[in-house]
């Protein structure tokens, strides 16, 4: 969303009228309230791109009522395609991070837009934002000095790149930049190649998981104290948390970790081999599994070879062992070998493509890929024994619920016209 350049203290007349109830906004377009562990929780999603929206979507999956606020220009990920949704206006990328949310379009550069936001903030249980540091304060919505006083129970989740203070405080953060800065890229790739970005936005995704955890911790503490608090999430914290075991190895040995390709830095064998019909991953994480592996491959004598009897010596003779195992694996078909190693208690798998992974029978059985008339996409990965999750519904178009949300809050048609005249709703 654009940064405000206007006067955040000026509000339109309608915003001060007492009949407006921000708490009612979450009942505007939601029909399946009461489903999920977080049913009734009101979440205001002011974020864009990945970490923030994914956090809000996860809460929605478990019953929270989520309103996403977008600027008239929209979350930029709507344009991150192809592929695009059927209407051609939003990308698959956006759809994967914003299902099960209601959507209101507000231009927060305007007084009228900030007036609506003020009511939404007063009615929220949780706010998620990833604006440039200081933006909310410039708009008159600083958490510590304003929002915490007006809504003491508010849990305020702020996602930034490096934090808001310190030598790099306030600098913008992007997933690949943090992979580079945080050391992750330096240990990803092959020894004779360039450092590689992990093939998914792993720093953003882990930051979103940390944000969900932080929000739930703050809500639990709120049950005890009656007060909300700041949940301070940074991409830097996320990437540093990902460095196991490399960080521990450096702390212990003083040796700077290096790229090892598909090899594990300490466990042998733990790598990709070429089977007859494609790539195949094998892990033998202990001596028993190694013995079972070589027995299944028809070379049981390797388990007694002094070069390979323990993980420590296998690590010293990694390349020799890989060549011996590779010759045997190259003679086998992936699925047959996977089944045999599974029976032998050895962790192994074909290296599946994304489509193979999503349509695998076990994936479908777990409800991780849903293909119905109403929704085609990923399912909910966190499952509880007693409490059901919400069935995802498609991400909606920009501003799809704007009028309904304003109406539920108590804005009359005349009030809504005033807000529109003030430029708060863009062209929606």
């Amino acid at each position: 969303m654009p940064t405000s350049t206007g006067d955040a203290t000026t509000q339109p007349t309608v915003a001060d009228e007492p009949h407006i109830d921000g708490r009612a906004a979450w009942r505007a377009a939601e029909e399946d309230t009461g489903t999920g562990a977080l049913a009734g929780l009101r979440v205001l999603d002011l974020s864009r791109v990945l970490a923030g929206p994914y956090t809000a979507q996860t809460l929605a999956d478990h019953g929270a009522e989520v309103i996403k606020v977008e600027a008239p220009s929209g979350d930029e990920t709507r344009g991150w395609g192809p592929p695009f949704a059927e209407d051609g206006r939003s990308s698959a990328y956006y759809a994967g991070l914003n299902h099960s949310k209601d959507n209101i379009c507000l231009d927060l550069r305007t007084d009228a837009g900030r007036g609506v936001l003020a009511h939404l903030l007063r009615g929220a249980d949780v706010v998620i934002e990833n604006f440039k540091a200081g933006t909310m304060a410039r708009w008159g919505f600083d958490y510590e000095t304003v929002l915490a006083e007006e809504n003491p129970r508010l849990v305020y989740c702020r996602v930034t790149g490096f934090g808001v203070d310190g030598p790099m405080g306030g600098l913008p953060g992007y997933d690949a930049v943090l992979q580079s800065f945080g050391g992750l890229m330096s240990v990803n790739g092959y020894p004779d190649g360039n450092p590689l970005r992990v093939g998914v936005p792993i720093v953003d995704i882990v930051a979103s998981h940390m944000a969900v955890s932080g929000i739930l911790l703050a809500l639990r503490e709120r049950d005890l104290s009656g007060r909300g608090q700041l949940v301070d999430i940074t991409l830097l914290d996320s990437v540093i948390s990902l460095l196991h075991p490399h960080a521990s190895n450096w702390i212990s040995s003083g040796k700077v970790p290096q790229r090892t390709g598909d090899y594990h830095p300490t466990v042998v064998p733990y790598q990709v081999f070429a089977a007859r019909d494609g790539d195949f991953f094998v892990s033998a994480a202990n001596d028993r599994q190694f013995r079972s592996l070589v027995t299944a491959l028809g070379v049981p004598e390797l388990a007694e070879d002094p070069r390979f009897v323990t993980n420590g010596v296998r690590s010293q003779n990694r390349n020799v062992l890989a060549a011996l195992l590779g010759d045997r694996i190259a003679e086998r078909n992936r699925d047959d070998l996977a089944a045999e190693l599974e029976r032998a208690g050895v962790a192994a798998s074909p290296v599946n493509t994304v489509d193979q992974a999503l349509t695998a029978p076990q994936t479908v059985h777990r409800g991780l890929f849903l293909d119905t008339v109403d929704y085609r996409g990923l399912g909910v990965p966190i499952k509880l024994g007693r409490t059901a999750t919400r069935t995802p519904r498609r991400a909606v178009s920009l501003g799809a619920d704007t009028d309904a949300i304003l109406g539920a809050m108590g804005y009359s048609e005349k009030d809504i016209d005033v807000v529109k005249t003030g430029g708060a709703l863009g062209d929606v």
Side-chain angles (χ1 to χ4, degrees), residues 198-267:
V198 177
V200 296
I202 190 68
V203 177
D204 275 322
I205 291 172
V206 169
S208 76
H209 291 321
M210 292 170 58
V212 170
S213 296
I215 289 168
L216 295 180
L217 289 170
L219 289 171
R220 169 58 179 146
E221 198 281 335
R222 188 179 77 170
D223 290 339
L224 303 175
S225 68
R227 295 188 61 85
Q229 60 184 295
L230 173 68
V231 178
D232 185 12
I233 302 296
T234 77
L235 301 189
L236 177 60
D237 296 1
S238 170
V239 70
I240 295 300
S241 77
L242 281 167
L243 292 181
H244 185 79
H246 305 289
S248 296
N249 291 348
W250 173 76
I251 291 168
S252 177
S253 69
K255 296 181 180 179
V256 178
Q258 302 296 312
R259 294 186 295 281
T260 59
D262 56 289
Y263 292 177
H264 193 284
T266 57
V267 179

Side-chain angles (χ1 to χ4, degrees), residues 1-184:
M1 293 181 183
T3 299
S4 170
T5 56
D7 180 4
T9 62
T10 303
Q11 305 290 351
T13 302
V14 68
D16 297 319
E17 294 184 6
H19 68 276
I20 305 300
D21 179 8
R23 293 172 299 177
W26 279 263
R27 294 192 291 272
E30 193 62 55
E31 297 178 354
D32 57 345
T33 55
T35 300
L38 300 179
L41 188 74
R42 301 182 297 265
V43 178
L44 186 61
D45 180 9
L46 303 180
S47 65
R48 33 174 278 279
V49 188
L50 202 161
Y54 192 21
T55 300
Q57 178 175 275
T58 300
L59 299 176
D61 285 338
H62 291 275
E65 300 166 42
V66 178
I67 294 176
K68 181 178 176 74
V69 177
E70 287 187 63
S73 57
D75 185 324
E76 56 260 51
T77 61
R78 285 188 182 271
W80 286 10
F84 291 95
E86 293 179 0
D87 62 6
R89 300 176 63 183
S90 294
S91 67
Y93 192 109
Y94 177 90
L97 299 168
N98 291 283
H99 67 237
S100 302
K101 303 177 185 179
D102 296 332
N103 189 288
I104 183 171
C105 177
L106 292 177
D107 190 339
L108 299 180
R109 297 171 301 183
T110 67
D111 294 336
R114 291 191 297 272
V116 175
L117 179 61
H119 291 297
L120 291 171
L121 287 166
R122 293 187 191 109
D125 293 300
V126 176
V127 171
I128 302 166
E129 59 99 344
N130 59 355
F131 292 116
K132 183 178 179 181
T135 298
M136 288 289 279
R138 287 195 300 274
W139 286 338
F141 301 122
D142 178 66
Y143 171 69
E144 286 84 0
T145 62
V146 178
L147 299 183
E149 294 298 321
E150 293 184 351
N151 184 358
R153 291 177 58 82
L154 179 66
V155 171
Y156 188 94
C157 180
R158 181 180 67 205
V159 183
T160 60
F162 295 89
V164 300
D165 51 20
M168 300 181 71
L171 292 182
Y174 302 91
D175 184 275
V177 172
L178 269 297
Q179 288 195 37
S180 178
F181 181 88
L184 185 60

